[in-house]
Amino acid sequence: MAISDLPNSRTEDDGSAVVRVLSYNVRSLRDDEDALARVVRACAPDLVFVQEAPRFFRWRKHAARLAAKSELVVLTGGATAAGPLLMCSLRATVERTEDVLLPLTPGLHRRGFATAVVRFGGARVGAVSCHLSLRKDERYAQAGMLLDRVAALGVPHTLVAGDLNERPDGPSFTRLAKELQDGWAVSPWGGEYTSPSGAPHQRIDAILATPGVEFLGCGVPTDLPEADLRAATDHLPVLAAVRIPAG
């Protein structure tokens, strides 16, 4: 389905906000950065939940360059969250941010969350970008920490998005979906599978939300140039339009 089929960002008369949300694993910008930025711009998001953002030499410069090419700004995250990053449009008013490092399991990659609370008009929403472990037991524990972090934000509505490294029938994904809405399951739109970008056959990336957030459509955009999607990174993007009630 075409990106134009999703509602555009807007503020409603009652103060609620329609917000476009994008989740994207960018593989540390090791691929075609210009193609990646074209994909992001075409989705016209207000919030972008990035996974595998640059974490090493001059990582802030690389993140800022991606944001500028995508016509967005860096909100928080990157190396300080072990990879997850948040970007936003100038439509967002930033209330606060916090980067969280999770306990390190020896021999495994360090994980973390990039978190923020932002406002769109009269709507206030938390945001958490995540990238869960490749190991099943650690991933399940991190899913619990993710739910704890959502509760700790102290806001009535929160969006969670990222690379869950697990399909929807897995225990960690199921644990999250018991408390959070799974955007694709609630309001499927576009394509389902997100990995790998060249021959997608599994859904391991997702946008989720607390009860009260209304999904207007969620899935992989199907009208973007295939060459850009293949060149940008090894995952496909997940795009959603949501309605967030006024505070």
Side-chain angles (χ1 to χ4, degrees):
M1 296 179 71
I3 291 174
S4 59
D5 293 334
L6 273 184
N8 291 322
S9 304
R10 63 179 184 268
T11 301
E12 307 282 27
D13 292 340
D14 62 359
S16 64
V18 173
V19 176
R20 280 197 182 187
V21 181
L22 184 70
S23 184
Y24 213 174
N25 183 319
V26 303
R27 195 158 67 164
S28 299
L29 302 183
R30 295 200 303 265
D31 302 290
D32 187 333
E33 191 175 303
D34 290 330
L36 177 66
R38 285 194 295 271
V39 170
V40 175
R41 288 198 309 271
C43 293
D46 293 300
L47 284 173
V48 182
F49 296 67
V50 174
Q51 303 84 50
E52 291 192 34
R55 295 182 294 117
F56 300 111
F57 184 63
R58 293 183 176 174
W59 65 269
R60 287 184 175 87
K61 178 180 179 181
H62 296 309
R65 186 180 64 241
L66 174 63
K69 287 183 177 181
S70 304
E71 299 176 359
L72 300 164
V73 296
V74 172
L75 182 51
T76 193
T80 48
L85 176 83
L86 288 167
M87 301 190 298
C88 65
S89 71
L90 294 179
R91 183 175 175 232
T93 299
V94 182
E95 199 170 288
R96 66 179 191 269
T97 65
E98 182 180 7
D99 298 330
V100 180
L101 290 175
L102 302 182
L104 176 63
T105 301
L108 296 181
H109 173 63
R110 189 72 180 259
R111 304 284 174 173
F113 304 140
T115 79
V117 177
V118 298
R119 297 193 310 275
F120 296 94
R124 186 166 172 254
V125 65
V128 183
S129 180
C130 66
H131 187 186
L132 302 188
S133 176
L134 288 167
R135 201 171 86 176
K136 185 176 180 180
D137 59 339
E138 185 180 50
R139 184 166 63 244
Y140 188 79
Q142 289 172 352
M145 296 175 202
L146 179 55
L147 293 171
D148 290 343
R149 181 54 49 178
V150 169
L153 286 176
V155 292
H157 308 296
T158 296
L159 297 163
V160 174
D163 180 351
L164 304 184
N165 268 321
E166 188 173 279
R167 299 178 184 183
D169 60 353
S172 302
F173 202 130
T174 301
R175 184 178 191 178
L176 294 172
K178 283 182 178 178
E179 296 194 31
L180 303 172
Q181 303 178 77
D182 173 8
W184 168 263
V186 171
S187 185
W189 166 91
E192 178 179 5
Y193 299 135
T194 63
S195 172
S197 59
H201 63 273
Q202 58 183 350
R203 182 164 75 96
I204 61 173
D205 304 85
I207 297 175
L208 308 116
T210 52
V213 174
E214 180 186 0
F215 276 97
L216 306 175
C218 179
V220 176
T222 57
D223 62 332
L224 294 172
E226 185 175 345
D228 277 354
L229 291 172
R230 286 174 176 262
T233 178
D234 62 342
H235 284 240
L236 293 177
V238 183
L239 178 64
V242 299
R243 180 179 285 109
I244 303 164

